[in-house]
Amino acid sequence: MTSDITRLSASELAAAIAGGTVSSVEATQAHLDRIAHVDGDLNAFLHVSSEEALATAADVDSRRAAGEELGPLAGVPIAVKDVVVTKGLPTTAGSKILEGWIPPYDATLVERIKAAGLPILGKTNMDEFAMGSSTEHSAYGNTKNPWDLERIPGGSGGGSAAAVAAHEAPLAIGTDTGGSIRQPGAVTGTVGVKPTYGGVSRYGLIAMASSLDQAGPVTRTVLDAALLHELIGGHDPHDSTSIAEPLPALAEAARQGATGDLSGLRVGVVKELSGEGYQDGVSARFTESLDTLRSLGAQVVEVSCPHFTYALDAYYLIMPAEASSNLAKFDGMRFGLRIEPADGPVTAERVMAATRGTGFGDEVKRRVILGTYALSAGYYDAYYGSAQKVRTLVQRDFAAAFAQADVLVSPTAPTTAFKFGEKLDDPLAMYLNDVATIPANLAGVPGMSVPNGLSDGLPVGFQILAPAKADDRMYRVGAALEAALEKTWGGPLLAQAPELKTTELTR
Ligand code: GLN
């Protein structure tokens, strides 16, 4: 049974645990064994918290034995992206500057995970401070794509996506500032959701760009994402941007969608998010899935969002501007690394310079410099101010498009997983991975990537966007598409991934 346990979806595993056929300890141990067997190659985890996970699992098992009423995902293990602070567990955000830092508190979403009885397997690898699309900017080495170990798992949350795709964890947490949940989802054949801005608390996320960051679920099924979203989401007084309203009924929407009836639903194809720059196989799978949605009763219309063309440019001013300010706190005085200058006086400024010079990688430095420049006197209006105006225009495009369609759709990423090194020396080529995902962050609307078949043997993603606070709509459409596509594939897309060979984890 143990090898099969890791193949179950989170909702199946939760049912097995609730029904008493599998204990949470068995489920947790099965995933820890899987990590021990395959993560030597994958490097999806920066830290594995076996003892803590097994202790939580044992606690859930005894509470269940005592007849306690437990939540829908109780006992199901989860992995957490290393940009989320976890009390007592190392948290590095993929950076050397935080090496050795142990947070004194839990992020709100971690508190909720713990309260619901989900054992935390460990912390997943990522591009440093969530800047990147490949995990190549992690200070702790790349994560490999389980579909092809020579290829990137997406980024910044490549560790969470690879862990879920490789059956090391049935659930994971990601964060998405410009696409870091959805693009890794697309290239690993997993489901990734960026909730409505304010839908999931940001308290305890190490901030990259506060007006864009959102945490969300990384899973193998749409229903699992909905269940996890319901668990971590909802109002939090610790986050001033948290929406003070209950979440829509997400799992219910996913269950309804899976029945396959989309009659009356208007699906808008965003003209600006297709065509040139999108790989042929990506476009072909996208067009086929539009036919699938039509066959389920949806009406497919074309919509135009003319300012999306400038979204990437606006993002690469707003995001670095906010990041340059958020990252100012890593100064060698408060957290993690502290480097004193090799010679000369030990002044605060020289310690900060030495610490930041050593502790930050090239991509982080590039963005801090860019952001500081964009905010500097004399340039503020020309760069940051103009970018904020573009942001408003993107929001207006969304409003106009959602007047014509209930959901908007596009390919999630323009290409399948590329090889390591292919885009590392060309930041602009790397940035283009997020051309289809960034508009949602600028406008705060929710977005989801669902597995959409293969192109040359590698997964591609289908993106669904909904109006703010209408996350339930995308779960309904995502579940309907997933159910229809899995019928044609004869099961989950991940069943077609190659078997990973066993390499013991020695770290
Ligand atoms: N790849 C994008 C970037 O590098 C998005 C990052 C993210 O969503 N955290 O900024």
Side-chain angles (χ1 to χ4, degrees):
M1 182 76 192
T2 35
S3 64
D4 299 334
I5 289 177
T6 62
R7 298 276 148 175
L8 299 176
S9 71
S11 61
E12 287 165 347
L13 186 53
I17 294 172
T21 45
V22 177
S23 70
S24 177
V25 168
E26 284 170 319
T28 303
Q29 190 60 56
H31 287 93
L32 290 170
D33 290 347
R34 176 78 178 161
I35 293 168
H37 286 141
V38 300
D39 212 56
D41 269 347
L42 287 181
N43 195 31
F45 283 85
L46 293 179
H47 178 79
V48 181
S49 41
S50 318
E51 262 175 49
E52 295 87 343
L54 288 168
T56 306
D59 180 53
V60 169
D61 286 338
S62 61
R63 280 158 59 196
R64 193 177 301 285
E68 206 176 304
E69 185 82 29
L70 299 169
L73 290 174
V76 178
I78 188 167
V80 177
K81 187 177 178 181
D82 205 31
V83 74
V84 181
V85 306
T86 41
K87 187 174 177 174
L89 293 184
T91 301
T92 66
S95 182
K96 282 283 176 218
I97 213 162
L98 279 176
E99 196 165 23
W101 183 57
I102 311 273
Y105 73 109
D106 277 324
T108 296
L109 73 87
V110 172
E111 249 174 26
R112 291 183 184 181
I113 284 170
K114 287 184 176 172
L118 282 72
I120 296 177
L121 296 165
K123 306 296 293 290
T124 57
N125 196 16
M126 54 182 285
D127 289 292
E128 184 175 8
F129 287 109
M131 298 177 185
S133 298
S134 68
T135 70
E136 291 169 289
H137 294 311
S138 168
Y140 303 98
N142 311 330
T143 295
K144 315 289 187 291
N145 189 322
W147 288 81
D148 178 347
L149 300 183
E150 288 176 10
R151 291 177 190 271
I152 61 109
S156 61
S160 283
V164 169
H167 300 91
E168 293 177 298
L171 300 169
I173 295 294
T175 59
D176 190 310
T177 304
S180 286
I181 292 178
R182 289 163 288 161
Q183 180 257 5
V187 301
T188 58
T190 53
V191 175
V193 176
K194 181 199 93 71
T196 294
Y197 184 78
V200 174
S201 171
R202 288 184 298 106
Y203 182 73
L205 309 191
I206 297 174
M208 177 191 187
S210 310
S211 77
L212 303 162
D213 297 343
Q214 261 300 285
V218 176
T219 61
R220 289 192 294 268
T221 74
V222 173
L223 176 61
D224 286 355
L227 291 166
L228 182 56
H229 189 158
E230 286 183 344
L231 193 159
I232 59 175
H235 185 239
D236 175 21
H238 289 310
D239 172 0
S240 63
T241 60
S242 167
I243 298 169
E245 285 172 34
L247 291 172
L250 307 174
E252 191 185 306
R255 289 199 175 96
Q256 194 201 342
T259 64
D261 180 11
L262 293 180
S263 44
L265 184 94
R266 296 167 307 164
V267 172
V269 178
V270 183
K271 198 173 94 190
E272 288 75 11
L273 300 183
S274 63
E276 210 192 321
Y278 289 79
Q279 200 174 297
D280 287 346
V282 169
S283 301
R285 294 299 88 73
F286 178 67
T287 312
E288 288 158 17
S289 286
L290 294 178
D291 285 336
T292 305
L293 292 175
R294 280 190 198 97
S295 75
L296 300 175
Q299 183 197 342
V300 177
V301 297
E302 189 181 85
V303 298
S304 177
C305 295
H307 301 97
F308 282 18
T309 322
Y310 310 110
L312 189 76
D313 310 69
Y315 172 87
Y316 275 100
L317 287 166
I318 294 168
M319 182 279 302
E322 293 188 19
S324 71
S325 150
N326 277 325
L327 267 51
K329 61 179 166 284
F330 301 106
D331 56 5
M333 305 290 153
R334 285 171 270 207
F335 315 91
L337 192 72
R338 176 189 167 96
I339 306 270
E340 298 197 349
D343 42 45
V346 182
T347 62
E349 200 174 311
R350 285 168 48 82
V351 170
M352 286 180 202
T355 302
R356 288 166 71 86
T358 309
F360 285 148
D362 288 349
E363 183 63 21
V364 172
K365 287 178 186 161
R366 182 180 293 128
R367 296 195 195 193
V368 168
I369 292 168
L370 187 65
T372 307
Y373 182 76
L375 289 175
S376 57
Y379 294 105
Y380 181 94
D381 284 338
Y383 293 113
Y384 186 74
S386 304
Q388 289 291 20
K389 286 180 188 155
V390 171
R391 188 171 190 174
T392 301
L393 294 172
V394 167
Q395 288 163 352
R396 286 188 193 153
D397 279 0
F398 268 115
F402 282 128
Q404 295 166 263
D406 302 303
V407 292
L408 302 180
V409 296
S410 76
T412 309
T415 68
T416 53
F418 47 91
K419 291 204 164 151
F420 289 110
E422 227 174 88
K423 303 192 180 179
L424 195 54
D425 298 326
D426 183 353
L428 294 183
M430 189 73 91
Y431 298 170
L432 272 171
N433 283 292
D434 294 313
V435 69
T437 46
I438 278 172
N441 300 80
L442 289 176
V445 305
M448 166 189 284
S449 180
V450 288
N452 195 33
L454 304 177
S455 167
D456 293 328
L458 293 169
V460 310
F462 188 92
Q463 180 175 236
I464 305 161
L465 305 167
K469 299 198 268 186
D471 304 53
D472 51 333
R473 269 188 221 172
M474 75 191 176
Y475 281 104
R476 179 175 164 221
V477 178
L481 182 62
E482 172 186 65
L485 289 175
E486 288 192 354
K487 251 179 239 165
T488 69
W489 302 328
L493 187 66
L494 277 165
Q496 297 177 42
E499 262 309 315
L500 291 167
K501 69 173 200 318
T502 299
T503 43
E504 297 294 327
L505 182 64
T506 48
R507 290 193 304 281

